[in-house]
Amino acid sequence: MMKSIRRIPPLVAVLLSGLLACSPQPETYHQQFLAFGTLMDLTIAGVPTAQAAAAGKALEDDFAVMHQAWHAWSPGPMTRTNALLAEGKSFSAPPSVLPLIKVSQRLAEQSDNLFNPAIGHLIKLWGFQSDEPNRPRPPPAAELIRQAIAKHPRMSDIIIDDFRLRSTNPAVQIDVGAIGKGYGIDIAIGHLRELGIDNAIINAGGDLRAIGRNGDRPWRIAIRGADGKGVLGYVETDGDESVFTSGDYERGFTWEGRHYHHIIDPRTGYPAQGTHSVTVLGDDATTADAAATALFVAGPDDWPRIAARMGIKDVLLVDSDGVMHMTPGMQQRLHLFDDGAKIRITPLAEPGP
Ligand code: ADP
Ligand code: MG
């Protein structure tokens, strides 16, 4: 069903759209640093500046370690793990990758393998494991894609026995590009809490987790537009919530007039069709990150089923025709700027067996 939604006057929209992710009150502390190839933006409220700055430094160090540990192609614990998985023998997992592999296995299963971080071979084939992911280039040969998907790499091919790993399928190569940022943000939020900080936002280029509030107000979180430019609206969070968006504008290249983006449908081996962007609101950033990718692949018809399986309540999916599909909860919470938007309200499916 098509419905109208709460609108905001255009002037307010213009003022708000100038702010990327939140509108902090003056006493908030701000810091930026690079991690996971993105500009990270840390906002902390309610503690003295010196305490916030020390926490900021600690987080910058955390992210540097995680970036190195999980990198898909620069040599480190993840590339070592992938080399050993391909050999099929049992080996001791590096401690920096084991918990992330475990949670990825669970979320892959919950997403019906639409979130499938075992398709590292395909991601590499498409040239997205590169420092220049947007460089124009021909897409991979159809035969190579067919061969890669015929081997059906799955996270469930990895046998975990205490601290040891073994792959029953030599085609499994892990790429945590769709979950690493979320998992890293969850670790960093835990660290902030240990440091006595209960009101903060950790924002990785529009993907974020917000805890507590901004003084006497909730945090205000901008939702990126489906084309990656500007802001389509905002939600307010009070407590603990993660907001993650996956979009076809993030990384990709154009070749002979066609655009190829970086979210791959593991069933076809090609960039997922039918979706422009997906925003999910979730409790933890790890699940929200994996779910945004999975729902993007699921597309405008199947997303309510996958969202229910993954335990996500609120979703906004903009399809390739620009129609905004959203849950009733998202409709209630989203303050939308564009009053001409086509909106379709869809409840989640009942969780299946
Ligand atoms: P963003 O990096 O824009 O936040 P995502 O969280 O959706 O986007 O992650 C996209 C990245 O995840 C890709 O660059 C690739 O490394 C990896 N990836 C692509 N398709 C899938 C998929 N179906 N399942 C798991 N990982 C994927
Ligand atoms: Mg993701």
Side-chain angles (χ1 to χ4, degrees):
M1 73 187 140
M2 296 281 188
K3 268 199 177 178
S4 68
I5 196 167
R6 192 177 345 158
R7 313 289 183 191
I8 321 171
L11 178 62
V12 181
V14 169
L15 292 174
L16 279 165
S17 64
L19 306 174
L20 184 61
C22 57
S23 53
Q25 286 169 271
E27 68 271 22
T28 54
Y29 173 86
H30 250 290
Q31 186 184 324
Q32 293 189 323
F33 52 88
L34 276 173
F36 300 131
T38 327
L39 189 63
M40 306 282 298
D41 196 286
L42 172 67
T43 307
I44 296 176
V47 296
T49 304
Q51 186 183 349
K57 178 76 187 76
L59 258 55
E60 194 171 344
D61 293 347
D62 287 351
F63 277 108
V65 171
M66 296 189 272
H67 178 76
Q68 201 270 337
W70 303 336
H71 207 283
W73 66 92
S74 89
M78 194 57 95
T79 57
R80 198 162 68 242
T81 300
N82 277 331
L84 291 163
L85 286 173
E87 284 179 20
K89 288 184 232 140
S90 163
F91 62 96
S92 304
S96 54
V97 303
L98 184 59
L100 180 51
I101 291 176
K102 282 187 177 164
V103 71
S104 296
Q105 210 170 37
R106 176 174 59 78
L107 290 166
E109 144 84 38
Q110 282 178 265
S111 75
D112 233 352
N113 291 301
L114 299 184
F115 161 71
N116 183 353
I119 59 167
H121 267 314
L122 261 177
I123 308 295
K124 188 173 175 188
L125 195 59
W126 275 98
F128 290 120
Q129 292 185 356
S130 153
D131 295 323
E132 292 181 308
N134 302 340
R135 185 178 48 80
R137 55 191 182 268
E143 178 55 19
L144 292 181
I145 293 177
R146 199 195 55 74
Q147 285 170 10
I149 60 168
K151 294 173 184 159
H152 292 294
R154 297 268 168 92
M155 289 306 287
S156 55
D157 296 328
I158 301 174
I159 313 288
I160 304 180
D161 181 8
D162 260 339
F163 296 104
R164 299 187 74 76
L165 298 181
R166 178 170 68 85
S167 177
T168 58
N169 181 347
V172 167
Q173 290 285 282
I174 301 172
D175 176 314
V176 293
I179 189 173
K181 239 190 293 175
Y183 191 73
I185 288 176
D186 283 340
I187 289 180
I189 288 285
H191 198 169
L192 279 184
R193 287 200 163 120
E194 282 167 21
L195 296 171
I197 291 164
D198 296 314
N199 302 285
I201 300 179
I202 304 178
N203 181 349
D207 291 334
L208 59 92
R209 180 166 163 189
I211 56 169
R213 51 192 357 238
N214 187 16
D216 57 4
R217 295 195 244 154
W219 292 112
R220 183 166 288 185
I221 309 294
I223 309 290
R224 261 179 304 169
D227 56 1
K229 297 183 206 112
V231 167
L232 62 79
Y234 70 88
V235 295
E236 291 188 329
T237 77
D238 195 347
D240 185 355
E241 203 158 24
S242 298
V243 184
F244 272 69
T245 301
S246 280
D248 60 8
Y249 49 80
E250 198 69 51
R251 257 168 288 153
F253 60 94
T254 303
W255 186 256
E256 293 181 345
R258 279 203 63 181
H259 185 70
Y260 300 93
H261 65 78
H262 71 310
I263 302 173
I264 305 296
D265 186 332
R267 299 165 296 191
T268 64
Y270 282 83
Q273 303 283 307
T275 311
H276 221 5
S277 76
V278 175
T279 301
V280 307
L281 308 184
D283 294 334
D284 62 287
T286 307
T287 310
D289 194 356
T293 308
L295 300 188
F296 189 104
V297 176
D301 296 325
D302 200 24
W303 68 265
R305 181 178 73 92
I306 302 296
R309 282 180 60 106
M310 298 185 85
I312 295 291
K313 287 193 205 73
D314 286 319
V315 178
L316 164 69
L317 180 146
V318 183
D319 71 21
S320 37
D321 298 325
V323 177
M324 294 185 170
H325 304 248
M326 60 180 97
T327 51
M330 182 65 98
Q331 183 204 13
Q332 290 203 327
R333 292 188 56 192
L334 179 63
H335 299 254
L336 204 60
F337 295 154
D338 173 12
D339 51 13
K342 275 183 283 171
I343 292 161
R344 186 177 291 269
I345 308 298
T346 313
L348 295 191
E350 290 299 319

